[in-house]
Amino acid sequence: MRACLTRVARLLAAVAPGLLAASPALAAKTDVVVLRNGDRLTGEVQQLERGRLQLKTDDLGTVEIEWDKVVSVAAAAPFDVDDLHGSRYMGALVPGPVAGQVLIVWAGRTDTVELSTLVRMRRLEKSRWKRLDGSLDVGASYTSASALFKLDLAGNLGVERPGYEVAADASSTVTSQTDVEDTRRSTLSLTYARRFPKRWVALIRGQVEQNRELGFDLRSSAAAGGGRYLVQGPQDKLLTGLGLSVNREKPVEGETATNVEATASLAYDRFSYDFPKVDVSVAAAGFASLNHGGRYRVDVQGQLKRELVRDFYATLRGYESYDSRPATEGAPRNDYGITFALGWSF
């Protein structure tokens, strides 16, 4: 027994130095970011989004650096990169010949790009779970005098890969009051966006909606089209699109019908990266029926998000839906509302 323990101890003594030497190497984060003030930060570059470079370090945790403070980036992992002009690159990041430039190296090709023109970078070797982004909002109110209860839920989940992204969005507003029929407004959508050079985008979307206020129990639709980012800067972006949509609509009263619609959309997003972070977004979509002349619909949504503490924020959200010819005769043409909620992003 003693001889066996002696052999084990000798084996551990021989292997331990190698393990101790290998461990820091495996955990080492060797990307280097140089700032305008001369500071050098070593870590693992994660992404550039909304004017901030995300760097994961051993000592400071994950830090976010204002992009206009960066003069040099070096990272051996491949990145998917977009610039202000709509050009797309893929490759490792190497400091350029002069401050303020970066070389993007991939498969024997090298592109020299000004750092100030880059608006987005995503690390390609991140695990599937780390590529997920999302948020969850919850809001509720109760009025005792009228026994009115309102619950608002909203969430989104997205994943981004080289050249495309997939996003799921869901929201539901439920209103309950004594001796009054409950009302519900719910939406669930799945969107696929394929990016092309010069800021062009191809879009495919499937959506399921319920809104008894506008006279329908269920509307399921599929839409396809294209769009272009008219603005894609460090702090704002503006996307326009055109397409075709087909939906099946089940009214509260009446027969289920099929509608073919031409669609046009506009989405604007502006954000600030100084604390507290503020994000303002507005999205509008118009639908003109091609098989029911004279019918058109408009959906407008807007929200203001303000950071409270890291990853937690307050949201003020508003919506307006208009239908010139509701699915159920006599139903209101407008439905609108404003909601305050608290949220978490990840």
Side-chain angles (χ1 to χ4, degrees):
M1 181 68 175
R2 180 176 299 175
C4 180
L5 291 175
T6 301
R7 284 196 295 270
V8 171
R10 289 175 179 173
L11 179 62
L12 289 175
V15 173
L19 293 176
L20 293 174
S23 179
L26 291 174
K29 297 178 174 61
T30 57
D31 299 345
V32 178
V33 177
V34 181
L35 307 184
R36 289 190 183 280
N37 62 6
D39 288 350
R40 295 171 61 89
L41 301 177
T42 301
E44 184 180 270
V45 174
Q46 299 293 304
Q47 65 178 24
L48 167 64
E49 191 75 32
R50 300 192 169 193
R52 280 183 174 259
L53 182 70
Q54 190 177 90
L55 180 70
K56 186 176 182 180
T57 70
D58 290 325
D59 299 325
L60 303 176
T62 299
V63 298
E64 293 186 339
I65 307 165
E66 296 178 12
W67 185 238
D68 57 6
K69 303 293 192 298
V70 176
V71 296
S72 175
V73 179
F79 285 79
D80 183 26
V81 183
D82 292 333
D83 70 8
L84 284 169
H85 312 298
S87 299
R88 296 186 57 239
Y89 308 91
M90 186 181 298
L93 309 178
V94 178
V98 299
Q101 290 184 338
V102 63
L103 305 181
I104 303 176
V105 182
W106 180 261
R109 173 178 172 175
T110 301
D111 295 289
T112 303
V113 184
E114 297 292 329
L115 286 175
S116 61
T117 67
L118 300 186
V119 295
R120 180 191 154 279
M121 295 194 309
R122 286 292 178 109
R123 192 181 188 96
L124 296 182
E125 64 178 20
K126 292 172 65 176
S127 70
R128 184 171 301 176
W129 290 110
K130 289 183 179 179
R131 291 196 298 264
L132 290 175
D133 294 306
S135 66
L136 178 65
D137 294 357
V138 180
S141 64
Y142 177 74
T143 305
S144 60
S146 57
L148 176 65
F149 174 75
K150 182 179 179 181
L151 176 66
D152 183 86
L153 300 172
N156 65 76
L157 185 66
V159 61
E160 196 167 348
R161 294 295 293 145
Y164 73 88
E165 56 189 281
V166 180
D169 295 272
S171 64
S172 182
T173 301
V174 180
T175 303
S176 177
Q177 189 174 16
T178 304
D179 299 328
V180 178
E181 184 178 2
D182 292 352
T183 61
R184 182 189 302 271
R185 182 183 190 273
S186 302
T187 302
L188 174 64
S189 66
L190 181 66
T191 304
Y192 171 85
R194 182 78 184 183
R195 299 192 307 274
F196 296 95
K198 305 302 179 183
R199 303 179 186 164
W200 290 100
V201 182
L203 300 167
I204 299 175
R205 170 175 290 184
Q207 184 165 280
V208 178
E209 305 171 79
Q210 181 187 43
N211 192 335
R212 295 180 64 87
E213 290 295 297
L214 289 182
F216 65 89
D217 267 329
L218 185 67
R219 178 191 290 146
S220 56
S221 63
R228 188 172 188 270
Y229 281 99
L230 299 183
V231 177
Q232 192 176 30
Q235 288 186 266
D236 57 356
K237 54 186 178 182
L238 174 63
L239 174 66
T240 60
L242 295 173
L244 192 67
S245 174
V246 178
N247 70 60
R248 289 279 289 174
E249 200 170 51
K250 180 182 178 181
V252 175
E253 298 177 7
E255 299 295 326
T256 300
T258 300
N259 302 292
V260 181
E261 300 170 309
T263 69
S265 61
L266 183 72
Y268 178 72
D269 195 5
R270 181 170 180 80
F271 33 84
S272 65
Y273 46 71
D274 291 325
F275 182 85
K277 298 177 185 175
V278 177
D279 190 341
V280 180
S281 62
V282 178
F287 305 84
S289 179
L290 301 179
N291 62 329
H292 295 89
R295 184 184 182 185
Y296 61 91
R297 301 185 294 112
V298 178
D299 284 320
V300 179
Q301 300 184 49
Q303 68 174 17
L304 170 64
K305 296 173 65 172
R306 186 181 188 277
E307 182 182 29
L308 299 176
V309 294
R310 183 179 176 86
D311 295 333
F312 290 89
Y313 54 85
T315 302
L316 183 64
R317 181 185 298 107
Y319 65 85
E320 161 74 23
S321 296
Y322 175 81
D323 192 335
S324 66
R325 191 184 300 170
T328 297
E329 187 175 352
R333 295 185 179 184
N334 285 79
D335 179 33
Y336 57 88
I338 297 177
T339 301
F340 176 79
L342 297 177
W344 168 62
S345 64
F346 55 91

